[in-house]
Structure formats: C-alpha cells, structure tokens
Amino acid sequence: MKKHIVVIAGDGIGQEVTTVGKQVLEAIAKKYNHEFTFDTALIGHAAIEATGNPLPDETIAKSKASDAILFGAVGHPKYDNDPSAKVRPEQGLLGIRKALGLYANLRPIKLFDELLSASSIKPEILKGADILFFRELTGDVYFGERGRTDDRNTAYDTMIYSRYEVERIAIKAFDAAMTRSKRLCSVDKANVLESSRLWREVVQEIALRYPEVDVEHQFVDTAAMLLIKDPRRFDVVLTGNIFGDILTDEASQIAGSMGMLASASIGDTTGLYEPIHGSAHDITGKGIANPLASVLSVALMLDISFGMKTEADIIVNAIDLTLRAGFRTRDIADAGTDANKLLGTEHMGNQILKQITS
C-alpha cells in the first residue's frame, strides 16, 4: 500500500516526539512492504518565526494533498502572558482543523496494566477502564463570535452550535458505540445553556436510529466527578469542544500521564493524528519527553485512515511489551523503576522499534 504522510512537528517537544513517530511508520512500512512517503510543513510558533503566519498556505496545501498528517504540538511561552498578541501559535491549530473540516476528535483513554501505579487514582478503581471520547472540534466557544466592548472592560465569547454540527459528530460516536459495548454517555450543560439544550435534543433524536445503544446524559460537572470516581462506567463519551478539551485532559490521569494519550482529528477527508500533550517548553531539548503518545497516534492513523488494523495492533503490543520489560520515561516512572530502565525520548523509541522489528 502506498501512502503519503505530512509530518507537522510544530513547536517544543513536538519536534522530538514526531521524530519517533515517523521512525515507527518507517519500521511498519518495511515490515509489511508498504510504501510511505513523507513531507514536512510548518505551523504554530515555528511558522510565525519563519513566515509571520501560524498557518502558512503551503501547510494547508500539503495537508490537503496528503493521506494523513502526523502532528506534534503548538505553543510557546512568549505568547502565554501576552493577551494582546494578535498572532498566536494556537491559531494555526484551530485554522488547520477548519481548513480540513476536522470536526471529530477521537481520544481513546488506553490503560496499560503496567502503568496502573503511575496514576494518582487507586489501581482498583482504574483497572479495566477503556474510554473513547468523541469531542466536537469546529464549533463552540473556540469558533463563536468574540470580542470586547469599546471601553475594553468587558469581553465575550459565544458558545454556538448548529443542528448539523451536533448530528455529524453524534453519528460517528453512535457508530463507534455499536462496535464496542453499545454504551454512550453524552455530556452537556443543558440545565443552564441553550446550546447544550440543542445538543441534548439532537443526540436524543440520533439515538432513535440506534435502539441497541444504551444512552445516558450527564452534565459536565457531574461527568468530571464520575471520571475520577468510577471511570469504568464510561465507554463512548460524546461532548462538545470546550467540555471535551477539559474532560480529556482530566482523563489523562486515568492513563497516568498526558504523555500516554493519542488523538485523531477526522472529518470526511484527511485525518490528523497527534498526542494530546502540549509543546512542554520546560522540557524541550532535554531529550526526556515521552514519545509513546505520538507512537499511539501513529497506531490510530494506521487503523482509522489506512485500515491497517494488524499493523496498528503490532504497535500497541510493542508498547505493552516495552512497558512490561520495565522501561519508563520520567513522567510514567515510579519509586520502583529501575534506574537503568529510565529512558529518554530517543531510547524509549528504540525499545519500541526493537519490539516491532523482532
């Protein structure tokens, strides 16, 4: 199979972890006689520095011409404390989602038994948790009308959803539920927000098409509590953009670290695959970033965009075997970790490659 992949490393540790992700793709191509070709493109702070634009036209063109995108991260500290900045790295990420019509963000919370102790949650509560989030990606307050009053003392961001936007993400979530345990939880704030009332109304309508799926509705504050109290009660979780952003970061504690969570942003054409962690400039260049979320993102790419389920499973199994062998990066290490098996980005990647090629 021939596939063309654009690597958009972005900022911070994105550069480091996508290097490992690409190496895994190359190893899979060699093992299974696929032909993967690669190109690179700029986004975020790196693109601003090079072109003045967080999302250059060239990046959009390359992305649209690709079969899939391996993404790193965007963000830089220089913008964090400057609310007046008109051009920001995050505009690149929001822009590429919009340009490619990436309306569904899939975030699997994959729990490896070897990392039960890495979480701050009790192992007996965590064991067996397996959650798939469907986060709507192109609506909500991130894309609604925003601004300030003339005196600059009042600011507003509009939370807005259309029926069509809710329908298309709901259908994808229900389809996924049918392939899993046929349970779906829709998260909103319908007791307060009109946009959430529309959300719940549409989800209830779509549910009629899937009579086999057991559907529950939770307010976002209750869902946040239940994710920590009883994560195993959830299977497929469907929610809007801002609620999904917050809940999936919270759910990273189920897996023990953001460095273990991959995501897929998909629409009807090219898919974008990325770890959910940020650019992490505090550890950039130190060679200690956990590359496993990027590697798991590669597994999602192979499965979802390329239909290579066997190859995807090989990658997940390679990670499992590496963890069982005791190898750890700093974010998932504990007091019992052998100092000789505490690895940096490159060497952890090498252990995964060793398992894949063996």
Side-chain angles (χ1 to χ4, degrees):
M1 187 176 289
K2 295 182 179 180
K3 295 293 180 182
H4 181 62
I5 300 160
V6 173
V7 180
I8 307 179
D11 305 323
I13 62 169
Q15 302 281 341
E16 301 165 49
V17 298
T18 53
T19 295
V20 177
K22 182 186 175 189
Q23 290 171 342
V24 168
L25 281 166
E26 291 169 334
I28 289 292
K30 184 176 181 180
K31 186 181 182 76
Y32 290 94
N33 297 314
H34 300 306
E35 183 180 334
F36 294 160
T37 58
F38 298 91
D39 200 352
T40 59
L42 294 172
I43 202 168
H45 172 70
I48 295 171
E49 290 291 292
T51 71
N53 185 348
L55 181 61
D57 291 342
E58 182 182 28
T59 298
I60 296 175
K62 287 183 175 182
S63 297
K64 288 183 175 180
S66 72
D67 293 302
I69 301 161
L70 178 61
F71 196 88
V74 296
H76 194 280
K78 70 176 287 186
Y79 305 90
D80 293 343
N81 294 315
D82 183 10
S84 65
K86 301 297 183 184
V87 179
R88 312 181 68 84
E90 292 77 13
Q91 292 167 343
L93 181 55
L94 296 177
I96 197 168
R97 289 171 180 170
K98 195 169 189 66
L100 298 178
L102 306 177
Y103 60 83
N105 183 236
L106 282 63
R107 293 190 175 186
I109 309 301
K110 173 66 177 176
L111 185 64
F112 292 90
D113 285 347
E114 294 298 317
L115 296 184
L116 286 174
S117 62
S119 174
S120 56
I121 305 172
K122 295 177 181 178
E124 59 268 27
I125 293 175
L126 289 177
K127 190 173 177 62
D130 182 6
I131 308 170
L132 178 58
F133 278 89
F134 278 78
R135 168 192 169 193
E136 200 286 324
L137 209 54
T138 58
D140 216 331
V141 295
Y142 295 158
F143 290 92
E145 183 181 350
R146 67 190 62 191
R148 291 202 185 185
T149 56
D150 292 340
D151 64 7
R152 309 295 293 171
N153 291 325
T154 302
Y156 59 91
D157 297 273
T158 307
M159 179 178 281
I160 184 169
Y161 268 118
S162 68
R163 179 174 296 275
Y164 169 68
E165 289 174 313
V166 183
E167 284 178 345
R168 62 184 182 178
I169 183 75
I171 289 169
K172 284 192 177 293
F174 274 96
D175 284 344
M178 288 292 292
T179 69
R180 292 167 59 95
S181 69
K182 298 181 179 179
R183 293 183 294 121
L184 182 146
C185 177
S186 178
V187 177
D188 58 38
K189 193 63 175 171
N191 58 334
V192 176
L193 302 173
E194 190 62 33
S195 58
S196 279
R197 285 190 272 274
L198 173 66
W199 180 282
R200 184 172 295 206
E201 177 184 316
V202 174
V203 171
Q204 289 172 334
E205 291 172 359
I206 299 298
L208 297 176
R209 307 181 197 176
Y210 298 85
E212 296 178 60
V213 177
D214 182 17
V215 181
E216 71 167 330
H217 299 270
Q218 293 286 355
F219 298 138
V220 63
D221 41 359
T222 304
M225 178 271 292
L226 290 173
L227 269 174
I228 300 301
K229 181 181 180 182
D230 185 16
R232 287 175 295 191
R233 68 170 287 142
F234 296 103
D235 186 45
V236 173
V237 177
L238 167 65
T239 191
N241 204 343
I242 190 168
F243 296 157
D245 193 0
I246 296 167
L247 289 177
T248 51
D249 280 1
E250 179 196 17
S252 69
Q253 275 305 293
I254 295 172
S257 169
M258 281 191 183
M260 293 300 300
L261 295 185
S263 75
S265 298
I266 61 174
D268 299 319
T269 54
T270 303
L272 183 149
Y273 298 86
E274 62 177 314
I276 79 161
H277 61 66
S279 50
H281 280 270
D282 57 324
I283 61 170
T284 296
K286 297 181 179 180
I288 61 174
N290 185 348
L292 296 185
S294 186
V295 175
L296 286 167
S297 296
V298 166
L300 282 179
M301 177 193 296
L302 296 178
D303 186 6
I304 296 173
S305 280
F306 300 166
M308 300 178 181
K309 184 69 166 64
T310 298
E311 291 88 330
D313 288 345
I314 286 290
I315 292 173
V316 175
N317 187 58
I319 292 174
D320 189 41
L321 291 173
T322 299
L323 294 174
R324 288 179 184 274
F327 295 105
R328 300 287 188 272
T329 49
R330 293 180 183 275
D331 59 308
I332 53 175
D334 58 25
T337 299
D338 184 340
N340 294 319
K341 293 186 175 182
L342 187 60
L343 306 180
T345 310
E346 180 182 357
H347 290 114
M348 179 60 91
N350 289 341
Q351 290 299 323
I352 302 299
L353 292 170
K354 179 180 177 181
Q355 294 294 342
I356 291 172
T357 57
S358 64

